[in-house]
């Protein structure tokens, strides 16, 4: 069984895309706007609210819908890639699609909020949509998650998100990216730590390393930049965008924006000038939500990405990783905490030699001495790439990632002659990994991931802020300072 591999999967093999990606920053508009509108005693806020373009969404046409949980609110946040008007200078694109797509789950009674990023490259099974205005509609099909908006408008996109996630959507907010620069400037720019110099002509971004305040075009370029930072994948860019959003939210909630009527007016004016919502997201709804949410701790505002990996039928696209994606969606749909019981203190045995305690003397092996091949198991498409990336950052020598020919029932680390200590050192980094000998292996140990994978014992790599190791962070962790 171990030692055999069928094919290599690489997140870096995805084709280059021309569309912009401003990512998670859009979700801040929902949170900041509803907090700001608690000061509705100022007549100016009613004028600002009048800037918002509103649409009627016929949710009755959806048929059966997911159940709604009283006291919670789910807002579909769309970053539109429309290229008309002022957006035309950022390139050409046919129609209009979500360049970023987020479910903002707001639970004021429980004092928390969760923003779930749905990567645009996800291949999903989409429901049929009727024609809508100048949109032709579409038949049920398997396509990218942002396809419905171009064929059936926001109403079709709304229906599709509910169908895919099982989460009841209450409202939507859509903003095009030309207003982003004004929004960032209205809060005085966003302070970020740039670990390495960035030289990205495509994003028109050239930054030195170090702590600095990003404004206007630089901020937009940072959110667009993909291939000049990290591993060049869209999922890696989403992480940076979530960090930017968290840093921005820290400034909005902890700075002078909310304490000064003039600053707040400027900020909300920038937000609403390019905003579209459904006509049921009224000023009263925003205000009521603001009153309930204004005391929420930044540590209870979570940013997560729907678990995903390389699509088995298209190496240039993503697929939801099951069962983790469904577990996350169900948690949100039920208005439960994504933290769960993930904060355990280590492993329970973990198979042969499992656990770090006990009196047995173990050979210490440094990560740099361990060569490991990381392989996907059933129901974990693309997870090997994510795990491999973390192991690399921790100093392990990742020889390869891909898919095994045969899959064990539980996550297993296989080792060849003389490499038991290497396998056990790797197992010590995992929450639940069994080690087993495989005589046909050489110097490289083999980590085969199964559906029971729970991540790493270190929070730096486990992405354990959500159920089953969901990738994400909190607003409190996004304070950007170098060193």
């Amino acid at each position: 069984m171990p030692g055999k591999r069928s094919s290599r999967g690489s997140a870096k093999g995805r084709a280059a895309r021309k569309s912009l990606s401003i990512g998670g920053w859009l979700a801040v508009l929902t949170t900041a706007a509803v907090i700001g509108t608690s000061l509705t005693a100022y007549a100016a806020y009613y004028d600002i609210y009048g800037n918002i373009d509103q649409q009627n969404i016929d949710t009755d046409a959806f048929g059966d819908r997911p159940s709604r949980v009283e006291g919670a609110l789910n807002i579909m946040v769309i970053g539109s890639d429309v290229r008309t008007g002022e957006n035309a200078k950022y390139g050409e694109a046919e129609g209009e699609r979500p360049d970023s797509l987020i479910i903002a789950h707001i639970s004021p009674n429980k004092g928390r909020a969760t923003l779930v990023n749905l990567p645009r490259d996800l291949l999903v099974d989409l429901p049929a949509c009727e024609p809508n205005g100048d949109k032709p509609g579409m038949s049920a099909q398997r396509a990218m998650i942002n396809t419905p908006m171009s064929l059936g408008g926001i109403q079709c996109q709304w229906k599709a998100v509910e169908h895919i996630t099982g989460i009841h959507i209450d409202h939507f907010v859509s903003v095009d990216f030309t207003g982003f620069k004004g929004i960032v400037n209205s809060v005085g720019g966003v302070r970020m730590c740039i670990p390495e110099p960035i030289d990205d002509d495509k994003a028109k971004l050239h930054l030195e390393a170090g702590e600095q305040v990003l404004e206007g075009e630089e901020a937009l370029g940072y959110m667009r930049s993909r291939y000049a930072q990290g591993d060049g994948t869209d999922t890696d860019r989403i992480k940076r965008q979530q960090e930017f959003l968290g840093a921005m939210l820290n400034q909005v909630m902890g700075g002078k924006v909310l304490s000064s009527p003039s600053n707040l007016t400027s900020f909300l004016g920038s937000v609403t000038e390019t905003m579209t919502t459904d006509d049921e997201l009224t000023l009263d709804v925003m205000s009521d939500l603001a009153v309930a949410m204004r005391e929420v701790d930044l540590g209870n505002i979570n940013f997560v990405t729907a678990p995903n990996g390389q699509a088995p039928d298209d190496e240039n696209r993503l697929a939801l990783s099951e069962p983790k994606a469904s577990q996350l969606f169900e948690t949100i749909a039920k208005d439960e905490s994504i933290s769960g019981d993930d904060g355990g203190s280590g492993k329970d045995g973990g198979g042969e030699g499992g656990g770090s305690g006990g009196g047995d003397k173990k050979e210490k092996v440094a990560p740099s001495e361990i060569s490991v091949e990381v392989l996907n198991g059933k129901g974990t498409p693309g997870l090997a790439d994510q795990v491999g990336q973390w192991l690399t950052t921790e100093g392990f020598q990742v020889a390869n990632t891909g898919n095994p020919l045969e899959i064990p029932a539980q996550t297993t680390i296989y080792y060849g002659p003389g490499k038991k200590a290497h396998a056990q050192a790797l197992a010590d980094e995992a929450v639940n990994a069994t080690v087993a000998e495989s005589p046909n292996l050489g110097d490289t140990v083999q980590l085969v991931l199964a559906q029971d994978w729970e991540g790493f014992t270190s929070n730096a790599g486990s992405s354990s802020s959500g159920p089953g190791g969901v990738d994400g962070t909190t607003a409190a962790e996004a304070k950007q300072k170098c060193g």
Side-chain angles (χ1 to χ4, degrees), residues 27 29-32 34 68-75 77 103-115 170-171 281 289-290 292-293 296 300-301 332 335:
L29 305 182
T30 301
T31 305
V34 296
R68 184 181 185 278
V69 176
E70 192 69 30
L73 204 63
N74 298 308
I75 301 175
V77 185
I103 298 176
H105 174 73
I106 303 172
S107 186
N109 293 339
K110 298 181 179 179
R112 61 175 181 248
T114 303
L115 309 176
D170 299 284
H171 302 287
L281 186 56
L289 186 58
M293 284 293 292
V296 172
N300 291 327
I301 300 177
I332 296 297
D335 190 28

Side-chain angles (χ1 to χ4, degrees), residues 129-132 135-139 141 151-152 156:
C129 288
E130 297 294 324
N132 183 13
K135 305 293 185 181
M138 70 176 194
S139 58
Q141 58 185 281
L151 298 177
C156 187

Side-chain angles (χ1 to χ4, degrees), residues 17 19-21 98-101 117-123 144-146 226 234 237-238 317-318:
R17 293 173 56 86
S19 60
L20 305 181
S21 181
D99 196 49
S100 58
L101 184 61
N117 196 305
L118 303 172
R120 65 186 182 191
D121 283 350
L122 281 174
L123 279 179
M144 287 173 59
I145 196 169
N146 65 355
R226 173 172 174 177
D234 196 44
R237 175 167 54 181
I238 286 173
R317 296 289 178 258
L318 301 173

Side-chain angles (χ1 to χ4, degrees), residues 131-435:
N132 183 13
D134 61 350
K135 305 293 185 181
M138 70 176 194
S139 58
Q141 58 185 281
R142 183 167 178 80
M144 287 173 59
I145 196 169
N146 65 355
T147 300
M149 188 165 164
S150 63
L151 298 177
I154 289 177
Q155 180 161 307
C156 187
Q157 189 69 58
W158 185 325
K159 178 182 179 180
V161 168
E162 287 196 343
H163 174 81
I164 294 161
T165 65
I167 297 172
H168 182 100
I169 302 299
D170 299 284
H171 302 287
F172 87 87
V173 174
S174 177
V175 183
D176 63 46
F177 45 72
T178 50
F180 176 60
K181 294 181 293 183
I183 294 170
V184 172
N185 290 339
S186 72
V187 301
V190 176
R191 184 173 297 278
M192 298 292 292
C193 176
I194 308 301
E196 298 178 353
I198 301 173
D199 190 12
D200 189 340
D201 290 334
K202 290 186 67 175
K204 298 180 176 62
L205 182 66
H206 304 279
L207 297 175
E208 298 294 330
E211 186 176 326
Q212 52 200 288
V213 176
L214 303 185
E215 299 182 354
E217 288 287 355
E218 284 186 340
L220 181 59
Y222 180 82
M223 303 303 279
R224 295 172 57 198
S225 177
R226 173 172 174 177
Y227 297 103
Q229 298 188 69
D231 62 8
T233 63
D234 196 44
T235 50
D236 195 50
R237 175 167 54 181
I238 286 173
K239 294 178 182 178
R240 294 193 299 272
Q241 293 164 347
Q242 291 172 336
E243 291 172 357
F244 186 95
L245 168 57
M248 184 175 178
L249 190 54
N250 266 278
Q251 291 181 213
V252 170
M253 298 184 70
K256 299 179 180 179
V257 175
L258 299 185
S259 61
S260 165
S262 60
N263 290 345
L264 184 57
T265 301
S266 174
F267 174 71
L268 292 180
S270 298
V271 169
T272 56
E273 282 177 357
T274 57
M275 178 184 287
T276 302
T277 74
D278 59 286
D279 57 9
E280 293 188 4
L281 186 56
T282 64
L283 188 59
D284 287 341
V285 172
M286 292 182 183
S287 299
D288 290 344
L289 186 58
V291 171
M293 284 293 292
R294 60 187 173 188
E295 299 299 328
V296 172
D297 188 274
L298 289 173
N300 291 327
I301 300 177
N302 294 280
F303 307 98
V304 300
T305 301
N308 66 85
Q310 180 178 299
D313 50 342
D314 188 338
E315 65 179 7
N316 296 321
R317 296 289 178 258
L318 301 173
L320 291 171
S321 295
E322 297 296 357
K324 293 180 180 179
S326 292
Q327 291 169 351
L328 172 63
F329 297 152
E330 183 178 4
T331 299
I332 296 297
K334 292 182 177 180
D335 190 28
E336 297 174 348
S337 170
I338 68 167
S339 297
D341 297 321
D342 58 289
S345 58
K347 299 174 290 300
D348 296 323
E352 182 182 345
S356 56
D360 295 337
K361 184 176 179 181
K362 295 195 298 181
E363 178 186 349
K364 293 288 291 183
V365 182
S368 60
E369 302 176 53
I370 302 174
S371 174
V372 56
E373 183 177 40
V374 188
L375 303 179
N376 293 307
K378 183 178 180 181
T380 64
L383 182 59
D385 282 324
Q386 300 174 30
V387 172
Q389 289 168 19
W390 183 82
L391 288 172
T392 299
T393 64
E394 294 299 301
F396 290 86
Q397 303 302 308
V398 178
N400 190 35
T401 60
N403 303 309
L405 291 177
E406 298 182 53
I407 302 170
Q410 61 188 105
T411 297
T412 305
I413 301 171
Y414 297 101
Y415 62 91
K419 297 298 178 181
K420 180 178 179 180
H422 293 66
Q424 188 57 54
L426 177 58
D428 288 344
E429 297 291 334
V431 174
N432 61 325
T434 297
V435 295

